[in-house]
Amino acid sequence: MTNKTAWACLLLTISLPVLAQTNNQTSSPYSLFGVGRFNETNSGVTNALGKSGMALSGENAINNLNPAAFADISKNSFLFDIGMKGDQTEHVTSDDTGKNTTTNFSGISFATPVTSKSAIGVSLSPYSDVGYTLRGITTTIEGSQDSYTSFITGSGGLNNAAVNYGYRLTPKLNVGVVGSYYFGKITETEQIAIGTDYLGVASTSHYSGFRFGSGVQYKVNDKLTLAAVVTLPTYLKGTKDRTVSKTVDGVDSAEQQESSKISGFKVPLEAGAGIKYSYKSFTLNADYKHTFWNATDMQDNIGQFVDTNFFGAGLMYASVKVRPSYFERFQYRLGVNMDNGYLQVDGNRVQNMAVTSGVGVPLGGRRSFLNISYSYGQRGIVSSRLVQENYHAFTVNISLEDIWFLKRRYE
């Protein structure tokens, strides 16, 4: 019987009607590879800044891109961020197009100081998303003129539960560490019809593992900040539960169930650097990150994982007035990001490029905002074995601050 490798070969050669809308966190056909398509959404502010912000302070908003940023959280502050995301994607092949829409939870984070020089943050967000459907695939049985039709769906993904800790080592230098626990499951269901007989195979793969990283931020002066982040490689252990059911001549047979260990997934080393420059009401930041996929020797189906270079930059306008009016407190953001793709198929890399924009709508407190972002991007190319994705992405985050343990003053 065919396996996932064979179906992956079919995925990139079939026409778009085979790709149907799902209720999963993604509708990307590239989520078939590895443990799914990796999540690019973060906390409220950075989504509109080209997905960049390693050098941004954590004083005004949670910044999960660098654990060192947590050291800037003000004493007695409690920061909270929760978000949703939505994508409308057009899939383009050499002979057809199709559109899909997905919406889902993007993450939840909170942070609070531990001492006057340190703070801790906890977050839960998707690490990878899986959501694909292959239907109406007809295959000839080897050594026979008979054929069978298959319907395949994939869903699930991995989650990232992280704890960040930042410490102000000197007035100019922040350091931080982060520990993450990746966990989740990926389910693939295959239904095969041979005449009036049916075979169903449901496989659920479970992955889990820990990962650690560190970061620094150095304030050269009031305007310029430099940053660096390193996230260590890890290995996610895997197990698989498999259930097989049959219907022959209209009679259902008993299900067969089995569990086994499977090859895990290697997550590579990541190293990045960022810069932030502020001038009056404007803040410009830029990030570069290199992901060392080549060192993992990971290959998946018809593609292989290759080293990736990411570049992102963003510009934000925020009033610096001591007592701005409500409308003067609105924040405006623009950005761009690009990467040369971690997946390579037949020598072609699945590259990605996007432009981003957003606005921060004040909600009352001086650091409480409704952060809205919009991105338009393109992933992949049109070829005999690749799909081009033109996507519109939206995020909505509620970012709140509460002040603890302050005595009220009365006149």
Side-chain angles (χ1 to χ4, degrees), residues 87-108:
D87 294 276
Q88 183 182 72
T89 306
E90 179 186 47
H91 304 282
V92 183
T93 66
S94 56
D95 56 9
D96 211 338
T97 61
K99 290 186 177 181
N100 304 90
T101 300
T102 60
T103 58
N104 218 290
F105 165 77
S106 64
I108 184 171

Side-chain angles (χ1 to χ4, degrees), residues 105-398:
F105 165 77
S106 64
I108 184 171
S109 306
F110 68 85
T112 188
V114 177
T115 69
S116 60
K117 293 184 177 181
S118 65
I120 191 170
V122 178
S123 65
L124 176 65
S125 61
Y127 174 67
S128 67
D129 302 325
V130 175
Y132 58 87
T133 300
L134 311 177
R135 67 177 69 202
I137 302 174
T138 300
T139 306
T140 301
I141 299 175
E142 186 176 355
S144 171
Q145 295 184 349
D146 295 331
S147 62
Y148 59 88
T149 303
S150 298
F151 178 85
I152 304 173
T153 60
S155 62
L158 304 187
N159 303 299
N160 176 14
V163 177
N164 289 272
Y165 177 78
Y167 183 81
R168 188 182 306 113
L169 198 61
T170 72
K172 289 191 172 185
L173 179 64
N174 292 348
V175 296
V177 293
V178 57
S180 296
Y181 178 63
Y182 296 155
F183 65 98
K185 63 181 181 180
I186 298 171
T187 300
E188 182 177 87
T189 302
E190 180 180 353
Q191 297 176 338
I192 299 172
I194 306 176
T196 59
D197 299 334
Y198 297 91
L199 173 67
V201 181
S203 300
T204 300
S205 300
H206 302 263
Y207 295 93
S208 63
F210 290 93
R211 194 183 189 193
F212 300 94
S214 61
V216 297
Q217 288 184 334
Y218 181 73
K219 300 177 179 65
V220 179
N221 50 48
D222 291 340
K223 296 182 178 180
L224 180 64
T225 300
L226 305 177
V229 176
V230 174
T231 308
L232 300 178
T234 191
Y235 180 79
L236 304 181
K237 296 180 180 179
T239 60
K240 176 180 286 189
D241 300 326
R242 188 168 180 263
T243 302
V244 179
S245 59
K246 301 177 183 179
T247 300
V248 180
D249 296 330
V251 179
D252 296 332
S253 64
E255 293 185 346
Q256 300 177 6
Q257 298 181 348
E258 61 180 25
S259 297
S260 61
K261 292 184 178 180
I262 58 174
S263 298
F265 187 81
K266 297 178 182 178
V267 182
L269 172 71
E270 294 181 357
I275 185 172
K276 182 198 75 172
Y277 183 79
S278 299
Y279 178 74
K280 295 184 178 180
S281 297
F282 294 92
T283 300
L284 176 67
N285 65 274
D287 287 356
Y288 168 78
K289 182 173 66 175
H290 186 83
T291 307
F292 296 83
W293 281 106
N294 287 353
T296 66
D297 293 324
M298 292 288 293
Q299 295 188 8
D300 195 298
N301 307 311
I302 62 172
Q304 61 181 359
F305 291 81
V306 291
D307 282 4
T308 306
N309 296 303
F310 167 88
F311 174 78
L315 177 67
M316 179 169 65
Y317 173 85
S319 176
V320 292
K321 289 185 177 180
V322 177
R323 295 191 177 186
S325 67
Y326 174 77
F327 290 103
E328 288 175 330
R329 292 181 56 220
F330 274 68
Q331 298 179 355
Y332 305 94
R333 308 171 186 118
L334 292 172
V336 63
N337 65 77
M338 61 192 73
D339 66 76
N340 57 349
Y342 62 86
L343 184 64
Q344 181 172 279
V345 179
D346 292 341
N348 296 313
R349 301 180 70 131
V350 183
Q351 301 183 47
N352 177 71
M353 177 180 292
V355 292
T356 64
S357 61
V359 61
V361 181
L363 293 178
R366 60 188 180 126
R367 293 169 182 159
S368 295
F369 287 88
L370 175 66
N371 290 304
I372 303 170
S373 77
Y374 164 75
S375 306
Y376 174 75
Q378 185 179 98
R379 181 184 298 106
I381 60 174
V382 177
S383 73
S384 60
R385 307 184 84 178
L386 289 178
V387 176
Q388 178 177 296
E389 297 180 341
N390 303 316
Y391 59 89
H392 303 268
F394 303 85
T395 65
V396 178
N397 288 69
I398 298 176

Side-chain angles (χ1 to χ4, degrees), residues 75-78 112-113 402-407:
K75 185 179 180 181
N76 301 324
S77 290
F78 177 84
T112 188
D402 194 13
I403 306 297
W404 289 0
F405 311 123
L406 290 184
K407 294 182 179 179

